[in-house]
Amino acid sequence: MTWKRWAEGRPEIIIDPFLVENSSNEIVKLIQIGLLCVQENATKRPTMSSVMVWLGSENITIALPRAPAFTMIKSPSEDCTMSMSNVFTELSSR
C-alpha cells in the first residue's frame, strides 16, 4: 500500500492525520528513504552513511525509489496476498 500511494503522488494518505499537521514533509522523506532501503537490487539500496546524511539534512536531493518486487495487497476475498506483478514488469524491462 505504501508503494501504491507513493506512485500515485499521495504518500500523505498513509500518514496519521495528527502527524500530517505537524511535519508532513519530514514524514514523506522518511517514507521515501524507507522505500529506497527495500529495493530488490541490493546495489540500488542506500548505504547507512547516505541514510544518516539524508536524515540529518533538510535541503538535500534524495533519489526516487523504484517499485518494489513484492507488495502486499488486500483483496475482497483474502486478507493479504503477495503480488508478483512488479517482479514480472521489472524482469521484462531489463
Side-chain angles (χ1 to χ4, degrees):
M1 187 64 78
T2 302
W3 172 254
K4 180 179 177 185
R5 298 300 180 230
W6 178 267
E8 292 172 347
R10 304 178 331 158
E12 68 281 351
I13 289 176
I14 62 172
I15 304 170
D16 185 296
F18 175 77
L19 297 175
V20 171
E21 295 174 8
N22 294 322
S23 58
S24 64
N25 289 338
E26 186 70 19
I27 296 169
V28 169
K29 179 172 84 169
L30 295 174
I31 292 169
Q32 182 176 0
I33 293 169
L35 287 170
L36 286 168
C37 290
V38 296
Q39 294 294 285
E40 178 182 17
N41 185 336
T43 63
K44 302 292 183 190
R45 296 179 204 145
T47 62
M48 283 309 298
S49 59
S50 293
V51 171
M52 296 303 293
V53 169
W54 294 338
L55 292 174
S57 302
E58 289 185 24
N59 298 319
I60 193 163
T61 302
I62 302 173
L64 294 175
R66 295 178 56 142
F70 299 95
T71 57
M72 297 295 288
I73 58 171
K74 288 193 178 226
S75 68
S77 62
E78 302 174 31
D79 287 337
C80 288
T81 58
M82 293 297 288
S83 171
M84 292 194 57
S85 61
N86 289 331
V87 173
F88 298 120
T89 301
E90 178 70 24
L91 291 174
S92 65
S93 67
R94 291 182 186 173

